[in-house]
Amino acid sequence: IYSDDHGQSWHMGGTVTGQHMENWAGEDAVAEMDDGHLIMSFRHSCRFPGSWGCGRLQAYSADGGKTWENVTEAKQLPEPIEGCEGCIL
């Protein structure tokens, strides 16, 4: 859910789909990059068999969050502590 008008109205964004997303990913944070694209960083559990490693997952949007693509594991951003939420600034 997002607002482009300082909370006057709210809209549903797109769903992130991709490999291993069904294995639990949550506690996401979204930021706008210098080029106007959005980046979503989210935690996922590395306990599930067949899951990616223990880095945070990231996805990107070029259309204001209506669609998300390029879900990747950011291995350089490991989950700091089991059960700890991360964020982006």
Side-chain angles (χ1 to χ4, degrees), residues 55 58 73-78:
Q58 294 180 327
E73 179 186 6
K75 293 180 181 181
Q76 71 276 21
L77 299 173

Side-chain angles (χ1 to χ4, degrees), residues 4 8-9 11 13 16 25 32-33 44:
D4 284 333
Q8 295 291 321
S9 62
H11 313 279
V16 179
E32 185 174 352
M33 299 186 296
H44 82 290

